[in-house]
Amino acid sequence: MKQLSFAVIGAGNGGQAISGHLALKGYKVNLFNRTYQKLLPIIEKGGIELEGEVEGFGKLNVITDDMEKAIRDVDIILVVVPASAHYKIAEEMLPYLKDGQIIVLNPGRTGGALELYNVIRKRGDLDVVIAETDTFIYACRSSMGKSKIYKIKEVVSVAAIPKDRTQMVVEALNTAFSQFIPAQNVLETSFNNFGAVFHPTPTLLNAARIETTKGNFEYYREGISPSVAKILEKIDNERMMVAKTLGVNAISAKRWLKESYNTEGENLYEAIQNTKAYVGLLAPQTLDCRYIFEDVPMSLVPMSSIGKEIGIKTPTIDAVIHLASVMHGKDYWKIGRTAEKLGIQGMTVEEIIELVEGKRKEVTTA
């Protein structure tokens, strides 16, 4: 069996980490980033310097801002950009994709694979596999060709659309990472989206502290107090209610911490405080960060919108979306992944499940 080759789309925290780690493992890796300036330190080094749980230097094959060059003839395309960029990245890739390629959103947030599916269908002749993970494999921070991997998660779920392609994707990813396991379908990966729980609310409730200290505090261990954790638990419960109605095997945030980081705690607050991977992870330096502009429209909005379609109320999630919209002066309800944009508006629960399982062919684009 030939060794698989990879393209990593996005040279942020996650993109630098995973491209460097794959290269260190001996894989041929191309790294793409839209902004060429951000690639210059990486080009100068020829790859990524890794520290933390993984140490060494990963020499990259191609480092480019040319999408065609980045994805040409590679087997697996790992998209590691904010979910708010998924749609544009999909359109940029579309002319250059080849049959048999696998595209994996790392992670998809909520509805990412469905959104990509709607874009890729514009080329009816194309047979590519679209998949998404429920979370990113690392807790990491990266800058200028240096990446610190604080922790490699023990389990990462992945699903493809349609679901009968999932096992093939898992087996391909397992050649490099044993952590990937199959999920039930892309509804499971979309709703077991813990960024939706852990990112927007603590950021909003620590707004003054972020603005006055430029994020100079430990985001999880200091930014999530017992009171903040209670709100996170409520958001978590609303998320799971929507998921349960869709027949999804959703797990709680507390259980996810146990499975990903082997963390224990009597409640969510204690579990977060006991998570060693969160030690030293600082808050965003500004409120103009992906914890808001990505996780609100691409995680919370679809959870709320899909909830409305199937008759599940999400008042706490709705409150967070409203506060974020006011704070940023943007209508995240309009910007976000609504049921209409995901091609599922007006569908019943059964019809949505049929779509993600490949039993329903018609998908409409907004």
Side-chain angles (χ1 to χ4, degrees):
M1 182 179 175
K2 81 176 186 76
Q3 190 180 56
L4 299 174
S5 57
F6 292 82
V8 175
I9 308 302
N13 284 319
Q16 291 187 49
I18 202 164
S19 62
H21 195 186
L22 282 166
L24 186 64
K25 285 172 174 275
Y27 291 91
K28 179 181 171 184
V29 183
N30 299 342
L31 179 63
F32 168 89
N33 197 69
R34 273 182 168 180
T35 308
Y36 187 73
Q37 195 73 19
K38 192 167 186 177
L39 294 171
L40 291 177
I42 305 170
I43 291 169
E44 188 177 336
K45 290 182 173 72
I48 307 294
E49 296 175 18
L50 297 163
E51 62 179 10
E53 284 223 344
V54 179
E55 295 190 353
F57 181 77
K59 189 178 188 307
L60 299 175
N61 179 56
V62 171
I63 306 164
T64 183
D65 63 348
D66 182 329
M67 182 64 81
E68 182 179 12
K69 190 183 294 185
I71 68 174
R72 183 191 299 145
D73 298 326
V74 302
D75 299 299
I76 301 177
I77 301 167
L78 301 177
V79 179
V80 195
V81 298
S84 48
H86 284 169
Y87 186 88
K88 287 181 180 178
I89 288 292
E91 288 200 315
E92 199 169 334
M93 288 193 295
L94 190 59
Y96 312 117
L97 291 168
K98 300 287 177 63
D99 287 351
Q101 289 182 309
I102 298 171
I103 306 168
V104 185
L105 301 177
N106 294 267
R109 296 305 176 199
T110 300
L114 276 169
E115 183 177 56
L116 210 69
Y117 185 66
N118 281 334
V119 175
I120 301 304
R121 283 182 71 257
K122 292 176 183 178
R123 271 186 61 185
D125 62 323
L126 189 62
D127 181 22
V128 298
V129 181
I130 299 161
E132 67 179 19
T133 68
D134 63 344
T135 186
F136 190 56
I137 190 169
Y138 312 123
C140 61
R141 290 290 183 268
S142 306
S143 179
M144 301 182 71
K146 292 183 178 181
S147 182
K148 182 170 184 178
I149 297 175
Y150 290 89
K151 182 70 177 175
I152 303 174
K153 289 168 185 162
E154 296 183 12
V155 174
V156 178
S157 294
V158 63
I161 180 169
K163 78 169 191 177
D164 63 8
R165 302 255 185 126
T166 296
Q167 190 58 42
M168 182 259 283
V169 174
V170 171
E171 288 174 6
L173 292 172
N174 283 164
T175 63
F177 300 105
S178 63
Q179 289 86 353
F180 289 102
I181 63 169
Q184 174 186 353
N185 53 39
V186 295
L187 293 175
E188 181 180 326
T189 48
S190 281
F191 278 91
N192 280 335
N193 168 7
F194 298 99
V197 178
F198 290 127
H199 293 166
T201 304
T203 302
L204 289 168
L205 297 182
N206 282 278
R209 194 174 186 184
I210 289 170
E211 288 182 323
T212 55
T213 70
K214 298 192 185 302
N216 189 25
F217 62 94
E218 290 194 41
Y219 178 79
Y220 293 95
R221 289 159 61 86
E222 294 182 273
I224 300 177
S225 65
S227 296
V228 172
K230 286 179 183 177
I231 299 174
L232 301 190
E233 286 176 335
K234 190 67 176 174
I235 288 170
D236 200 37
N237 288 336
E238 292 176 4
R239 172 189 66 83
M240 287 190 289
M241 277 300 299
V242 179
K244 183 180 179 182
T245 305
L246 289 166
V248 172
N249 298 322
I251 63 171
S252 69
K254 183 170 170 285
R255 180 177 157 192
W256 176 78
L257 288 172
K258 168 66 176 171
E259 292 185 0
S260 297
Y261 297 119
N262 198 27
T263 298
E264 301 280 3
E266 287 295 315
N267 50 44
L268 185 57
Y269 170 72
E270 285 188 11
I272 291 167
Q273 295 303 307
N274 292 336
T275 301
K276 292 179 182 177
Y278 292 158
V279 175
L281 283 179
L282 297 181
Q285 295 182 357
T286 169
L287 293 173
D288 183 20
C289 65
R290 60 189 295 173
Y291 285 6
I292 303 294
F293 69 67
E294 175 184 21
D295 286 292
V296 172
M298 304 301 158
S299 297
L300 295 182
V301 167
M303 287 179 181
S304 173
S305 182
I306 294 170
K308 286 181 176 67
E309 288 292 313
I310 61 176
I312 303 298
K313 294 180 179 179
T314 55
T316 316
I317 287 174
D318 293 355
V320 173
I321 296 168
H322 176 70
L323 288 174
S325 297
V326 171
M327 190 173 287
H328 274 187
K330 295 178 179 179
D331 186 350
Y332 280 125
W333 295 104
K334 186 175 180 180
I335 295 168
R337 284 177 179 157
T338 59
E340 180 185 6
K341 290 179 182 176
L342 296 177
I344 58 175
Q345 188 176 38
M347 285 189 185
T348 63
V349 168
E350 292 74 20
E351 288 170 336
I352 294 170
I353 293 170
E354 284 176 4
L355 171 62
V356 302
E357 294 190 347
K359 298 172 185 174
R360 180 185 179 92
K361 298 303 179 188
E362 68 272 23
V363 183
T364 57
T365 9

